[in-house]
Amino acid sequence: MSFSVRSARTSDVPFIQALVEPLVQQRILLGKDAVVFYEAIQEFRVAEDADGNAIGCGALHVMWQDLGEVRTLAVTPEWLHKGVGHALLERLETDASGLGLSRLFCLTFEVPFFSRHGFEPMTEESIDPAVYAELARSPDEGVAEFLDLARVKPNTLGNTRMIKKI
């Protein structure tokens, strides 16, 4: 079964929304309005099968000069366990390296998957106080999750904060 990974296009937003909606209902991913997906379309990569049908997605969000977050990594049920998630994550890591990032963060229930790809549960890493202060000013929920701010705790229950040096 062959597939490829490419940059997302605006025409992929309905697919991305439909793919993640069941995960939002299960409280695995946070819901987002269509406008948020359109605003972030440059961050997304889409996997598609040999016939050009979208089968998975993932996004890389830059958080700081050396830090990015893997977001919205999802694969259609019929393509699970066939290397699609691995290929998407590999592409996001390549993109991160190309941007000069050296660390990737994720907030996930899929600890075994990310562990197999070199992510480790976060410890209370020391963040430079000046960087922490800058990050804390961000309205982005992913940054708040990285910082483990109290305001996002209800959204992160059961998730594991993981990080990887790339």
Side-chain angles (χ1 to χ4, degrees):
M1 302 180 93
S2 101
F3 62 89
S4 59
V5 177
R6 61 168 172 77
S7 296
R9 300 184 282 261
T10 56
S11 59
D12 293 315
V13 168
F15 162 75
I16 293 168
Q17 279 193 292
L19 178 60
V20 303
E21 186 56 31
L23 301 171
V24 170
Q25 296 303 318
Q26 296 170 43
R27 299 184 53 92
I28 293 171
L29 293 177
L30 293 176
K32 295 178 182 155
D33 293 324
V35 67
V36 175
F37 287 117
Y38 284 111
E39 289 173 341
I41 199 65
Q42 310 93 307
E43 298 179 354
F44 276 86
R45 301 297 173 257
V46 169
E48 60 183 15
D49 66 16
D51 295 325
N53 301 306
I55 59 172
C57 68
L60 172 66
H61 180 76
V62 175
M63 297 169 67
W64 197 246
Q65 71 181 27
D66 67 333
L67 178 66
E69 180 184 9
V70 174
R71 293 183 172 181
T72 321
L73 186 61
V75 176
T76 59
E78 54 275 8
W79 279 87
L80 285 173
H81 310 293
K82 295 182 178 160
V84 177
H86 170 80
L88 283 161
L89 184 56
E90 191 172 76
R91 172 67 181 272
L92 296 174
E93 287 182 14
T94 298
D95 292 348
S97 292
L99 290 168
L101 304 179
S102 59
R103 296 182 298 159
L104 284 178
F105 164 77
C106 70
L107 181 70
T108 186
F109 287 107
E110 300 296 332
V111 173
F113 172 82
F114 282 97
S115 292
R116 285 192 307 273
H117 291 90
F119 284 77
E120 298 178 352
M122 281 182 65
T123 57
E124 292 308 312
E125 291 184 290
S126 60
I127 300 173
D128 178 275
V131 172
Y132 184 97
E134 288 293 326
L135 288 173
R137 295 170 54 184
S138 172
D140 187 89
E141 292 300 298
V143 173
E145 292 161 352
F146 173 75
L147 297 175
D148 203 24
L149 298 180
R151 70 179 168 86
V152 295
K153 294 235 185 247
N155 295 332
T156 62
L157 293 176
N159 279 292
T160 299
R161 294 164 59 232
M162 300 186 81
I163 197 149
K164 176 182 182 176
K165 291 186 180 181
I166 56 173

